[in-house]
Amino acid sequence: MEKKNKVTMSDIAREAGVSQATVSLILNNSRSVKLSEETRQRVFSTALSLGYKKMPAPHNDSGQEEIALLVNAMPSYDPFVDALSEAREAAWRNDTLLTVYDYGDDAELAVRIIAQLNQRRCAGIIIASPITQSIDFSPFANQTQLPVVLLNVYDRAFPLLPTFLPDDRANALQITRHLIDHGATRIAHIMGDNWMEACEMRLEGYREALMQAGMPQDDQLVQATNWSLNETYRATLDLMKLPEPPDAIFCSSDWMTIGCYQALTELHLRIPQDVLVAGYDDQRIADQMTPKLTSVQLPYYELGRMAVEYLCSGEDAATRVIMAGKLKVRSSTAG
């Protein structure tokens, strides 16, 4: 049976006889450009007839609530962007706008943003970061009466704050188990900055998998880096110079594996025939590398959606969601 192609805005524009920009404005309920009601209805009808999956909920333009998402950095591309995208979609499905504020890790600026939000119709605030990390929530604690949830960040001093996190330990454990299941007996782990708790949790998962398999832990096989390609390249060369070099390398991010691939190529070692390689976070490059990279897909879609739905549902119970990702097996480990 032939798989049905996904309906796009371009398909709707072609069928309705309008531009793709017009379709985008109408399906996002934008009123920034004056468009006739006839055009709006034609686009909506065309989208419905084609089976477009992301139809907006009907909106009341007067006094619409928003959910504010405060993020401490905005990466040009990072898997965390998936959380923002799905949070926006979840808010839209719940007749709510998601507004994103980049406060640059400046707590004073974040407090000023929150002060403005207190004056508006805001359903709640999401404090987020593209890097899983602990934050100091105390500067915000007395600044708002609005509901607050944490996304990809946490503060142990505020255990009752609803918190949504990926499970770095479980993810690293499943990657390492996968390498063991594929015959690896000496598995190296190239970390990012070892002061980051997310890196420490991945290291814990790696070590636990070795322990469960009854395999020895060799500190020489663990290399800390600063996440850069050059550092990963150097760490890979150092690992392969050991008297007993590894037969598998688990890198703490997909980006880092580029440096690992470069070093192995320079040493005329083949992936996966000579060395298995796995990454972490399933960035877009994972499916474009040669060979394609085994990685773990972080559950940012689900976490972003759940953070928004928690606020939209009016929940007030303490919630702490820690979710494992999905292993994506590709040819860098599968042969």
Side-chain angles (χ1 to χ4, degrees):
M1 181 178 178
E2 184 179 354
K3 185 177 179 180
K4 188 175 180 180
N5 291 331
K6 180 180 178 181
V7 177
T8 66
M9 287 190 181
S10 296
D11 298 327
I12 299 168
R14 185 167 50 251
E15 189 71 20
V18 297
S19 70
Q20 184 175 337
T22 298
V23 172
S24 178
L25 288 169
I26 292 172
L27 292 185
N28 284 293
N29 273 348
S30 172
R31 298 288 173 176
S32 61
V33 176
K34 290 185 178 180
L35 295 169
S36 70
E37 192 59 32
E38 185 275 329
T39 300
R40 291 182 182 275
Q41 291 304 319
R42 185 164 80 252
V43 169
F44 278 126
S45 298
T46 303
L48 285 170
S49 66
L50 292 177
Y52 186 63
K53 299 297 184 183
K54 294 184 178 179
M55 292 294 293
H59 286 278
N60 180 358
D61 289 338
S62 61
Q64 187 177 34
E65 282 193 332
E66 67 174 308
I67 287 175
L69 189 150
L70 276 66
V71 62
N72 67 357
M74 287 293 288
S76 58
Y77 181 76
D78 185 280
F80 185 69
V81 172
D82 294 340
L84 304 186
S85 176
E86 187 58 25
R88 176 180 57 81
E89 294 288 343
W92 190 253
R93 290 192 296 270
N94 285 276
D95 197 27
T96 306
L97 298 175
L98 181 77
T99 51
V100 179
Y101 299 85
D102 180 357
Y103 69 96
D105 213 16
D106 183 338
E108 182 179 347
L109 175 58
V111 167
R112 292 177 63 183
I113 293 170
I114 289 172
Q116 291 187 14
L117 294 171
N118 287 331
Q119 308 303 316
R120 303 214 296 264
R121 292 197 57 186
C122 187
I125 296 172
I126 301 171
I127 296 179
S129 169
I131 299 172
T132 308
Q133 62 180 318
S134 63
I135 63 166
D136 180 9
F137 182 71
S138 58
F140 316 125
N142 298 319
Q143 300 300 319
T144 182
Q145 300 301 313
L146 295 169
V148 175
V149 304
L150 304 183
L151 174 61
N152 210 37
V153 296
Y154 56 92
D155 187 341
R156 290 191 179 89
F158 292 84
L160 298 183
L161 274 177
T163 303
F164 300 85
L165 295 166
D167 194 334
D168 284 300
R169 180 178 159 278
N171 292 337
L173 188 144
Q174 66 173 316
I175 289 175
T176 309
R177 278 180 176 170
H178 167 75
L179 295 171
I180 294 169
D181 291 343
H182 280 71
T185 58
R186 280 182 60 78
I187 302 172
H189 179 41
I190 302 180
M191 303 172 56
D193 290 306
N194 55 12
W195 55 264
M196 290 180 59
E197 189 164 340
C199 287
E200 287 297 320
M201 295 301 291
R202 294 171 200 181
L203 179 61
E204 282 187 20
Y206 157 79
R207 286 176 170 163
E208 183 172 345
L210 296 181
M211 182 183 67
Q212 290 178 357
M215 296 172 62
Q217 298 189 24
D218 185 345
D219 289 341
Q220 294 183 98
L221 294 177
V222 177
Q223 296 273 329
T225 72
N226 61 1
W227 300 100
S228 72
L229 302 188
N230 287 339
E231 284 284 301
T232 308
Y233 168 84
R234 178 201 55 75
T236 303
L237 292 179
D238 289 346
L239 287 167
M240 302 316 296
K241 290 176 184 175
L242 292 172
E244 293 182 70
D247 53 9
I249 299 175
F250 161 34
C251 293
S252 210
S253 82
D254 291 349
W255 174 251
M256 295 167 68
T257 61
I258 297 175
C260 179
Y261 271 43
Q262 289 173 340
L264 293 176
T265 299
E266 183 176 300
L267 295 171
H268 304 291
L269 294 171
R270 301 167 300 165
I271 307 170
Q273 293 89 340
D274 301 317
V275 184
L276 307 181
V277 178
Y280 190 98
D281 58 34
D282 199 40
Q283 295 187 30
R284 291 177 183 173
I285 60 169
D287 200 45
Q288 299 169 358
M289 297 177 69
T290 304
K292 294 184 177 184
L293 179 66
T294 292
S295 188
V296 63
Q297 183 183 71
L298 301 182
Y300 283 140
Y301 277 110
E302 295 87 347
L303 294 173
R305 172 182 55 78
M306 287 191 293
V308 166
E309 290 179 349
Y310 180 94
L311 292 173
C312 290
S313 65
E315 291 282 348
D316 59 3
T319 299
R320 188 176 179 87
V321 175
I322 302 177
M323 182 178 291
K326 298 177 182 177
L327 185 66
K328 296 292 185 178
V329 179
R330 300 186 179 93
S331 52
S332 69
T333 63

